[in-house]
Amino acid sequence: MAESDWDTVTVLRKKGPTAAQAKSKQAVAAAQRRGEDVETSKKWAAGQNKQHLVTKNTAKLDRETEELHHQRVSLEVGKVIQQGRQNKGLTQKDLATKINEKPQIIADYESGKAIPNNQVMGKIERAIGLKLRGKDIGMPLESGPKKK
């Protein structure tokens, strides 16, 4: 045991720097001093809140005066639906059940808040027997198969 030197240390395996250590400023500076190739790249807008930038297009949109919105069912059509439903003795819920739709849809169509859907309009037309589309709104619906 007298021959063993306690001051010498044997390193079996040396770990390289971790990713965070390799990216640190000190590690990059040391690598540059040693003459190693160092590749750096800047991430665009990294760590900054750049998602809410005001651009020219935003200002242009703010100045835009035209309001864009969906066309709604006219009140005239809503009144025709309401009168046709009442003439048949149906409630909004009854009519909705008859055409396989929710009662809220019937309420929206009658109040003029609904965006017109031709399928729903066709179902309501057949259920109340009155035309809701075209020139002669409120006229009786001609029953019978379509002619080709």
Side-chain angles (χ1 to χ4, degrees), residues 46-66:
Q48 298 175 2
N49 191 5
K50 295 281 188 182
Q51 63 195 17
H52 298 295
L53 277 178
V54 177
T55 62
K56 288 185 251 181
N57 292 340
T58 308
K60 188 176 180 182
L61 284 172
D62 287 341
R63 287 193 303 269
E64 188 70 41
T65 56
E66 180 183 354

Side-chain angles (χ1 to χ4, degrees), residues 21-57:
Q21 291 170 342
K23 293 178 187 174
S24 70
K25 288 184 180 182
Q26 291 102 353
V28 172
Q32 286 174 337
R33 280 195 297 274
R34 287 192 299 265
E36 296 176 10
D37 290 333
V38 178
E39 181 182 334
T40 58
S41 59
K42 173 106 170 82
K43 290 183 180 177
W44 187 82
Q48 298 175 2
N49 191 5
K50 295 281 188 182
Q51 63 195 17
H52 298 295
L53 277 178
V54 177
T55 62
K56 288 185 251 181
N57 292 340

Side-chain angles (χ1 to χ4, degrees), residues 111-132:
S111 64
K113 293 179 185 173
I115 297 169
N117 179 342
N118 278 330
Q119 275 189 315
V120 176
M121 296 280 273
K123 289 181 192 178
I124 296 172
E125 279 180 342
R126 288 190 296 278
I128 63 175
L130 297 174
K131 285 191 65 97
L132 301 175

